[in-house]
């Protein structure tokens, strides 16, 4: 099997974890060039929440291409864009009583984060941003500066400034209430702590180890932001689009961020699309002040609009809730049946994992699972978490089969 090593930069990573050449994918399954079948519990790190090649999205896209629909348009008005904006407003924003202007910041997750940080600084005139330990927001300089991962930060080659990293919720013990400390610093105007422009966070940290912040912690963050005129940015690039059970990950916490970052599964079928949702009064951009060649990919608009139709049916959320319950039960059973892994369940909805205290175990299990036909990732600062992201649309049989492979892999690794 040829993996093109001599042609591609050393920076490649996923092809090392999954050393094969993939050829085909449907729903929650992938095949490689030897026609070996894999169950996909990776789902493009959250970019394939609706699975691979969803039939409805695929046929809409094929029809659009065959009808010579516009492919590239910069941000000119196109019917594909208009239909997407209308559907997003009618199906997603209005039923949730949300009022945001939609900005297309560039094709991918890091672009929406960059635009959010930039806008927050422009609106407030303040330089600093508060971010959180183990947060992940992207690989360009701005988004990397708020990413709490020292290995990734080293990739910048320079110090990254104007960011204060605070402990994320799960790091707050009963004795150390860091948000209270923050409030005291903000109150003490002699403290030298500048009021930041914004706080940026994930409600469940994906790359950082499937850490789910409590609703109460998120509500406290919102309160602090409101009190001090700090803008709240929720990065829903990975936790959004149904991954945690609701379209936006913050819905059940009852908070309304000032700015929301969306990408990954918003494109529906893995096509690049990113949205920055902006509280209307914050939309102070001058025309052209933030532009880019690939803002608003028309093919992605077509598949994204088709994807939104899932959300017209309340049964979709119910089905995610049912699968989430089963998933949690499978994982808790593994934790219980294999005390050797010293594990515990983490996550919310179908954004889940097992954190193991045994060093290196999660990576070994992922490698074993791959051999047995299951694709999964590890996450967390020491890769200590088995990260499991089944497609939201996965059928129960495949879900069960995937967890059986996981269980067999755990058993094989602990011997
Ligand atoms: N924010 C979060 C929460 C992410 O998980 C990611 C990607 N893993 C990004 C931003 C960056 O997205 P992209 O890789 O598309 O630039």
């Amino acid at each position: 099997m040829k993996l093109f090593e001599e042609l591609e930069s050393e920076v490649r990573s996923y092809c090392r974890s999954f050393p094969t050449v993939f050829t085909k994918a449907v729903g929650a399954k992938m095949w490689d060039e030897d026609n070996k079948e894999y169950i996909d519990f990776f789902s493009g790190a959250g970019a394939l929440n609706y699975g691979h090649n969803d039939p409805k999205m695929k046929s809409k896209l094929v029809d659009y291409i065959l009808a010579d629909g516009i492919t590239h348009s910069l941000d000119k008005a196109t019917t594909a864009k208009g239909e997407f904006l209308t559907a997003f407003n009618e199906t997603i924003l209005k039923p949730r009583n949300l009022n945001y202007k939609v900005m297309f910041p560039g094709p991918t997750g890091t672009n929406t984060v960059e635009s959010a940080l930039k806008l927050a600084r422009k609106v407030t005139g303040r330089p600093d941003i508060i971010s959180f330990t183990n947060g992940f927001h992207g690989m360009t300089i701005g988004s990397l500066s708020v990413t709490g991962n020292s290995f990734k930060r080293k990739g910048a080659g320079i110090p990254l400034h104007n960011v204060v990293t605070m402990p994320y919720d799960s790091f707050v013990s009963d004795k150390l209430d860091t948000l209270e400390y923050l409030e005291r610093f903000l109150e003490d105007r002699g403290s030298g702590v500048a009021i930041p422009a914004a706080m940026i966070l994930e409600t469940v940290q994906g790359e950082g180890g499937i850490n789910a912040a409590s609703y109460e912690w998120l509500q406290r963050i919102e309160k602090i932001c409101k009190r001090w005129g700090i803008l709240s940015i929720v990065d829903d690039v990975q936790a959004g689009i149904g991954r945690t059970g609701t379209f936006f990950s913050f819905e059940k916490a009852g908070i309304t961020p000032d700015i929301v970052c969306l990408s990954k599964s918003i494109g529906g079928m893995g096509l690049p699309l990113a949205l920055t949702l902006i509280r209307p009064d914050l939309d102070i951009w001058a025309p052209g002040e933030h532009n880019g060649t690939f803002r608003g990919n028309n093919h992605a608009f077509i598949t994204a609009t088709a994807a939104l139709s899932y959300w017209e049916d309340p049964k979709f959320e119910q089905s995610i809730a049912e699968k989430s319950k089963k998933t949690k039960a499978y994982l808790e059973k593994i934790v219980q049946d294999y005390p050797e892994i010293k594990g515990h369940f983490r996550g919310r909805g179908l954004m889940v994992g097992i954190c193991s205290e045994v060093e290196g175990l999660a990576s070994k299990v992922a490698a074993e699972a791959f051999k047995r036909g299951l694709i999964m990732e590890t996450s967390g600062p020491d890769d200590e978490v088995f990260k499991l992201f089944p497609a939201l649309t996965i059928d129960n049989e495949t879900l069960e089969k995937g967890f059986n492979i996981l269980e067999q892999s755990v058993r094989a690794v602990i011997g």
Side-chain angles (χ1 to χ4, degrees):
M1 193 160 304
K2 208 163 172 330
L3 293 172
F4 323 112
E5 287 102 333
E6 69 287 6
L7 298 175
E8 200 179 348
S9 158
E10 287 303 317
V11 82
R12 66 193 185 280
S13 60
Y14 289 121
C15 70
R16 295 177 203 265
S17 315
F18 309 113
T20 191
V21 178
F22 294 99
T23 53
K24 188 179 148 172
V26 180
K29 290 183 181 164
M30 297 179 81
W31 288 266
D32 71 9
E33 61 183 6
D34 296 326
N35 214 22
K36 181 174 168 187
E37 183 182 292
Y38 299 85
I39 293 174
D40 186 4
F41 274 10
F42 177 18
S43 298
L48 292 162
N49 285 358
Y50 307 98
H52 298 266
N53 282 309
D54 178 272
K56 189 168 167 195
M57 296 178 210
K58 194 171 73 170
S59 79
K60 293 262 182 200
L61 181 59
V62 168
D63 290 350
Y64 183 78
I65 292 171
L66 291 178
D68 290 329
I70 303 284
T71 301
H72 183 263
S73 59
L74 287 160
D75 68 353
K76 293 189 203 92
T78 62
T79 47
K81 176 159 119 181
E83 282 166 13
F84 171 74
L85 281 170
T86 307
F88 189 73
N89 197 41
E90 295 297 321
T91 311
I92 304 300
L93 295 183
K94 270 198 194 161
R96 292 167 178 77
N97 280 326
L98 292 171
N99 184 17
Y100 288 115
K101 294 279 282 286
V102 175
M103 168 182 175
F104 300 108
T108 185
T110 197
N111 298 127
T112 165
V113 172
E114 291 289 343
S115 70
L117 299 175
K118 203 165 136 181
L119 183 65
R121 286 171 167 137
K122 182 176 161 66
V123 166
T124 60
R126 301 179 211 137
D128 297 331
I129 308 283
I130 290 186
S131 64
F132 293 90
T133 44
N134 293 324
F136 186 99
H137 301 287
M139 290 294 101
T140 50
I141 296 287
S143 62
L144 186 57
S145 73
V146 287
T147 290
N149 176 313
S150 55
F151 173 72
K152 302 275 188 209
R153 292 171 74 91
K154 249 172 55 189
I158 54 163
L160 300 164
H161 293 306
N162 295 114
V163 172
V164 177
T165 306
M166 299 270 309
Y168 192 68
D169 184 26
S170 46
F171 295 85
V172 181
S173 75
D174 290 345
K175 292 196 188 86
L176 187 68
D177 184 339
T178 50
L179 290 186
E180 197 184 315
Y181 272 87
L182 174 66
E183 283 244 72
R184 283 196 205 164
F185 277 123
L186 292 172
E187 270 161 16
D188 181 358
R189 291 292 73 231
S191 68
V193 173
I195 310 270
M199 292 200 201
I200 183 163
L201 59 88
E202 300 156 89
T203 65
V204 182
Q205 294 182 324
E207 305 302 319
I210 321 295
N211 306 306
S214 70
Y215 295 151
E216 191 220 335
W217 188 80
L218 294 169
Q219 288 155 6
R220 286 183 68 196
I221 295 266
E222 177 169 80
K223 243 182 166 169
I224 294 172
C225 283
K226 285 216 164 88
R227 180 169 175 209
W228 295 99
I230 301 165
L231 297 177
S232 58
I233 305 172
V234 167
D235 178 347
D236 240 0
V237 166
Q238 189 160 158
I241 329 292
R243 192 36 70 194
T244 66
T246 48
F247 186 86
F248 295 107
S249 71
F250 51 82
E251 287 177 39
K252 287 206 174 133
I255 59 168
T256 308
D258 298 310
I259 303 176
V260 182
C261 300
L262 293 179
S263 186
K264 291 199 191 269
S265 283
I266 189 69
M269 223 178 77
L271 294 181
L273 186 62
L275 266 55
T276 309
L277 308 184
I278 304 169
R279 208 179 78 196
D281 60 299
L282 303 178
D283 186 27
I284 61 161
W285 296 113
E289 208 166 23
H290 183 101
N291 61 14
T293 308
F294 287 109
R295 278 168 311 142
N297 173 313
N298 283 272
H299 288 173
F301 283 142
I302 295 294
T303 51
T305 305
L308 292 180
S309 65
Y310 272 104
W311 296 92
E312 286 165 6
D313 183 354
K315 284 198 204 103
F316 185 53
E317 268 190 42
Q318 280 166 28
S319 80
I320 305 173
E322 281 155 23
K323 285 171 205 168
S324 303
K325 213 169 142 193
K326 278 195 185 122
T327 294
K328 191 171 182 209
Y330 286 131
L331 292 180
E332 284 182 335
K333 187 162 179 344
I334 290 176
V335 165
Q336 209 173 44
D337 290 351
Y338 299 94
E340 303 92 322
I341 70 172
K342 295 188 186 155
H344 62 268
F345 172 85
R346 277 190 182 173
R348 183 170 288 144
L350 283 175
M351 186 166 185
V352 290
I354 295 175
C355 176
S356 166
E357 284 170 40
V358 180
E359 206 185 314
L361 185 94
S363 302
K364 281 189 197 143
V365 170
E368 183 65 31
F370 176 70
K371 284 190 215 148
R372 291 166 182 262
L374 175 71
I375 297 178
M376 59 177 271
E377 238 196 320
T378 58
S379 85
D382 300 311
D383 277 329
E384 71 279 32
V385 179
F386 312 23
K387 181 178 172 187
L388 300 150
F389 272 41
L392 310 180
T393 50
I394 194 169
D395 60 79
N396 284 324
E397 195 191 324
T398 313
L399 189 71
E400 190 176 335
K401 207 169 150 194
F403 281 110
N404 285 339
I405 299 178
L406 177 66
E407 200 235 292
Q408 289 153 15
S409 308
V410 169
R411 197 184 319 153
V413 166
I414 61 175

